[in-house]
């Protein structure tokens, strides 16, 4: 028995089921982008990563939520500024060391700032699972004189874990692990005794920041890997919408014809009814005739079934929301932190709590990891700085009014001095002995009773003088 199906669109046009098939989400090639290192893995004994790094880099270009989460984490970890603080157990840190560190960190690259280098490395770290600093030493190969970012998708690790190879187009460059005690030829990757190569032939060093996975000793993977199906599913949804719904009206009816084909005459009758007759009268009657295509001579049947487009559109929205939530969950980023407003959530304490959890479980751990690399390898080993530590500034999750109230209570209890309060608020200390004194309810506790009386008398005298001056000025104006 012949059964023909078609759909009537909301504008009255008719689309056959066979026509719709070309828009169906069929199985297609799942090939990933070509790998520039394909031949080098065997020739140069390089380790192939678990995932195609070029493909991971491209994920930021096809999913809005992934791209936003990557940049948000990179900014929150390394983009809020940094400071140099005294190292623990160092009572009198050497100021000259601090000046040396500031001089290098503020001038480590002639083209971009240190913050920009950090941003690029951390974006690679979040998007690809690996970030690379290029460390440049002086002509003697001793003191560090510069830092640079190396795009992570262009680098592969050698099996000995002491060398790295970068390929861009037809060009190839070699690097060595930071602190490795041999020279590596920048063009061939061959080992040479330390100091035996000319500076222009000597490979620079690499600091590799990887997002740990137990599946590889050579590479890290990005946090978003478990949510790859969500990214691909959202891409399929987007492509389907673009392919069909953006180029056609939304299907309003499904038509099933039993015992006959959907010929041109019948199609014209249906089109005329929905485009003209229904608009004239909601009570119009559609009369269809069709010639049976079967030998059984059974009567031809027409069935019209209304389609609920609201449900389909809602399903697409829910599907996209589920994908979004899974992607952000994989990154550990609260929705509003990525610029997304969730209906029914007004923020307030809930937003503050989410930010604090995100700060402690995601941001702080990554900051400590990066800080330890900078402090150990750059400041200590590279510049000989031991009295000062590099530290990133943190996300401020404090409620301003509550924080001020808390500090005021601590001050009145004698716990904080005025200078300690200024430091807690990120302000500079004031070089005055009184600013280091402690007070309880306004009375100093770091002085003798005679000194206290003298201070109070001085304050009273100052108060009286201010009243006299104010009174005099007021009389003069009158």
């Amino acid at each position: 028995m012949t059964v023909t199906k078609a759909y009537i669109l909301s504008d009255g046009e008719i689309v056959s089921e066979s026509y719709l098939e070309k828009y169906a989400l069929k199985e297609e090639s799942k090939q990933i982008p070509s790998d520039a290192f394909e031949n080098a893995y065997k020739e140069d004994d390089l380790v192939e990563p678990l995932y195609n790094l070029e493909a991971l880099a491209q994920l930021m270009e096809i999913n809005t939520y992934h791209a936003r989460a990557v940049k948000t984490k990179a900014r929150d970890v390394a983009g809020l500024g940094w400071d140099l603080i005294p190292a623990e157990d160092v009572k009198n840190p050497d100021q000259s060391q601090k000046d040396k560190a500031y001089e290098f960190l503020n001038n480590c690259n002639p083209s971009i700032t240190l913050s920009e280098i950090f941003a690029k490395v951390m974006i690679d770290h979040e998007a690809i699972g690996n970030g690379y600093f290029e460390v440049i030493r002086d002509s003697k190969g001793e003191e560090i004189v510069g830092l640079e970012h190396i795009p992570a998708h262009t680098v592969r690790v050698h099996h000995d874990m002491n060398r790295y190879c970068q390929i861009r187009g037809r060009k190839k460059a070699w690097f060595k692990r930071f602190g490795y005690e041999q020279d590596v030829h920048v063009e061939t990757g061959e080992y040479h005794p330390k100091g035996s190569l000319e500076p222009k032939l000597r490979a620079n060093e690499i600091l590799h920041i990887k997002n740990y996975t137990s599946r590889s000793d050579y590479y890290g993977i990005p946090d978003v890997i478990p949510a790859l199906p969500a990214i691909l599913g959202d891409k399929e949804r987007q492509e389907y919408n673009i392919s069909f719904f953006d180029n056609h009206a939304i299907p309003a009816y499904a038509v099933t014809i039993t015992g006959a084909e959907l010929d041109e005459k019948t199609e014209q009758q249906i089109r005329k009814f929905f485009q003209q007759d229904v608009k004239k009268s909601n009570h119009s009657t559609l009369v269809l005739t069709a010639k049976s295509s079967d030998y059984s001579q059974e009567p031809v049947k027409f069935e019209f079934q209304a389609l609920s487009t609201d449900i389909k559109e809602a399903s697409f929205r829910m599907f996209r929301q589920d994908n979004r939530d899974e992607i952000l969950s994989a990154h550990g980023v609260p929705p509003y932190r990525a610029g997304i407003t969730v209906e029914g959530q007004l923020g307030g304490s809930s937003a503050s709590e989410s930010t604090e959890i995100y700060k402690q479980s995601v941001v702080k751990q990554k900051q400590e990891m990066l800080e330890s690399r900078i402090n150990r390898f750059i400041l200590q080993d590279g510049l000989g700085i031991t009295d000062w530590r590099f530290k990133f500034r943190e996300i401020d999750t404090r409620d301003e009014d509550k924080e001020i109230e808390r500090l005021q209570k601590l001050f009145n209890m004698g716990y904080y001095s005025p200078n300690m309060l200024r430091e807690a608020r990120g302000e500079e200390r004031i070089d005055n002995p009184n600013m280091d004194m402690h007070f309880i309810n306004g009375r100093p506790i770091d002085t003798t009773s005679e000194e206290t009386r003298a201070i109070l008398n001085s304050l009273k005298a100052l108060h009286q003088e201010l009243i006299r001056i104010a009174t005099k000025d007021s009389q003069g104006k009158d």
Side-chain angles (χ1 to χ4, degrees), residues 4-72:
T4 305
K5 292 185 179 181
Y7 293 89
I8 301 172
L9 307 182
S10 57
D11 62 358
E13 285 295 329
I14 301 173
V15 178
S16 66
E17 191 173 46
S18 61
Y19 179 77
L20 283 177
E21 286 182 359
K22 72 179 185 179
Y23 290 100
L25 300 179
K26 299 179 180 179
E27 290 296 325
E28 298 178 352
S29 172
K30 302 299 182 182
Q31 294 183 45
I32 57 179
S34 60
D35 192 340
F37 289 82
E38 185 175 359
N39 297 324
Y41 290 127
K42 291 184 178 180
E43 294 176 0
D44 297 316
D45 199 23
L46 302 178
V47 179
E48 186 173 0
L50 298 173
Y51 298 87
N52 184 288
L53 303 188
E54 182 72 29
L56 291 178
Q58 290 180 5
L59 289 180
M60 287 187 64
E61 300 175 11
I62 67 174
N63 189 274
T64 304
Y65 307 123
H66 172 53
R68 187 62 183 267
V70 165
K71 293 183 178 180
T72 297

Side-chain angles (χ1 to χ4, degrees), residues 44-315:
D44 297 316
D45 199 23
L46 302 178
V47 179
E48 186 173 0
L50 298 173
Y51 298 87
N52 184 288
L53 303 188
E54 182 72 29
L56 291 178
Q58 290 180 5
L59 289 180
M60 287 187 64
E61 300 175 11
I62 67 174
N63 189 274
T64 304
Y65 307 123
H66 172 53
R68 187 62 183 267
V70 165
K71 293 183 178 180
T72 297
K73 290 167 74 177
R75 181 196 65 231
D76 290 343
V77 170
L80 302 178
W82 52 272
D83 296 295
L84 291 176
I85 62 175
E88 296 180 4
D89 301 326
V90 177
K91 296 182 178 180
N92 298 304
D94 188 345
Q95 183 63 35
S96 64
Q97 286 191 14
K98 185 177 184 180
D99 295 339
K100 181 180 180 180
Y102 268 123
E103 175 65 24
F104 170 77
L105 295 174
N106 287 323
N107 300 281
C108 62
N109 191 294
S111 303
I112 58 177
T113 65
L114 181 63
S115 296
E116 290 177 284
I117 296 174
F118 282 145
K120 291 180 178 181
V121 171
M122 291 310 297
I123 285 176
D124 281 353
H125 181 269
E126 297 300 332
I128 301 175
N130 302 272
Y132 296 99
F133 289 97
E134 178 184 8
V135 182
I136 306 168
R137 294 186 185 267
D138 58 22
S139 59
K140 297 180 181 179
E142 297 176 355
E143 190 165 289
I144 296 176
V145 295
L147 289 178
E148 184 60 90
H149 158 255
I150 306 177
H153 68 279
T154 68
V155 178
R156 299 294 185 274
V157 185
H158 192 273
H159 268 96
D160 62 17
M161 301 183 73
N162 292 321
R163 289 174 289 177
Y164 297 80
C165 183
Q166 181 189 32
I167 294 181
R168 306 201 78 166
R170 296 183 178 181
K171 296 183 178 180
K172 182 186 295 186
W174 286 86
F175 300 83
K176 69 174 185 176
R177 174 175 55 82
F178 182 87
Y180 187 64
E181 290 296 329
Q182 286 195 60
D183 283 349
V184 172
H185 198 288
V186 68
E187 297 176 356
T188 66
E190 295 176 347
Y191 287 122
H192 292 267
K194 186 174 177 61
S196 63
L197 287 177
E198 298 178 25
K200 65 179 181 179
L201 298 178
R202 188 187 306 142
N204 286 336
E205 294 166 88
I206 270 185
L207 269 180
H208 184 183
I209 312 295
K210 59 184 177 182
N211 197 36
Y212 173 74
T213 171
S214 58
R215 292 184 60 210
S216 175
D217 293 329
Y218 299 89
Y219 301 96
I221 62 173
D223 291 336
V224 78
I225 286 295
L228 280 181
I231 292 180
L232 298 177
D234 202 60
K235 184 175 183 293
E236 297 281 2
R237 174 202 59 79
Q238 183 183 48
E239 289 179 349
Y240 179 81
N241 282 343
I242 292 174
S243 298
F244 181 74
F245 289 104
D246 285 357
N247 294 286
H248 300 82
I250 300 172
Y253 289 90
V255 183
T256 303
I257 305 173
T258 306
E261 299 284 351
L262 180 63
D263 57 24
E264 184 176 351
K265 180 180 178 181
T266 305
E267 188 174 320
Q268 288 177 353
Q269 290 176 317
I270 297 174
R271 184 182 295 109
K272 177 178 178 297
F273 177 78
F274 281 98
Q275 290 183 343
Q276 298 179 21
D277 298 345
V278 172
K279 292 181 179 179
K280 293 179 182 179
S281 173
N282 292 332
H283 303 286
S284 299
T285 302
L286 172 61
V287 180
L288 296 174
T289 59
K291 184 178 180 179
S292 175
S293 60
D294 294 326
Y295 294 106
S296 63
Q297 299 298 320
E298 291 187 10
V300 178
K301 296 181 180 180
F302 293 88
E303 294 183 9
F304 290 79
Q305 181 180 359
L307 301 176
S308 177
T309 59
D310 291 339
I311 293 177
K312 289 190 175 183
E313 289 181 357
S315 296

